[in-house]
Amino acid sequence: MTRIEWALKAVKQLRKLPQAEQVKVHAAVGALSEWPDVRNVKALVNRIDYRLRVGRYRVLFHVTPDGELTVINIDEVRKRDERTY
C-alpha cells in the first residue's frame, strides 16, 4: 500500500505552474501509487531521492518504507534547467 504526501514547498511550486501543467503533474504523481512499477522515474546520483519527469517539469521525491505502507514524499516541483538537480 502506498501513501503520497506533499511538502508545503512542493504545493506552492505546483500552484505557480500553468493550469494544464498542474493537471499533468498531479496525474503523474498519482501514478506513483503503483510504486515501484512506475515510468519516467530515475534515482538521482549520490542522493537518496528520485525524480519523476513530466514534460519540462521534474518532481523530486523520496520514498520511505513504513512496514506494510510505503510513503512517497513529494519534495519539489521544478522546471527543468541546468540547476534543477
Side-chain angles (χ1 to χ4, degrees):
M1 191 160 173
T2 304
R3 183 175 71 215
I4 299 173
E5 296 180 352
W6 288 77
L8 181 59
K9 179 179 181 178
V11 172
K12 288 180 179 180
Q13 291 171 332
L14 181 66
R15 288 181 184 160
K16 291 180 182 180
L17 301 181
Q19 183 66 34
E21 299 299 324
Q22 287 182 30
V23 171
K24 290 178 186 176
V25 169
H26 210 283
V29 169
L32 289 176
S33 64
E34 301 297 323
W35 184 262
D37 300 323
V38 292
R39 299 181 65 194
N40 294 324
V41 172
K42 184 175 182 180
L44 298 177
V45 177
N46 295 328
R47 293 176 61 169
I48 60 169
D49 49 353
Y50 299 86
R51 69 105 170 111
L52 169 65
R53 187 171 57 191
V54 184
R56 295 177 13 204
Y57 297 93
R58 301 298 183 262
V59 177
L60 302 177
F61 67 96
H62 64 278
V63 178
T64 308
D66 187 16
E68 294 284 323
L69 182 68
T70 301
V71 180
I72 297 178
N73 300 292
I74 308 299
D75 299 320
E76 293 187 61
V77 178
R78 298 170 62 180
K79 186 174 180 182
R80 173 70 171 111
D81 62 14
E82 303 84 42
R83 296 170 284 142
T84 301
Y85 309 121

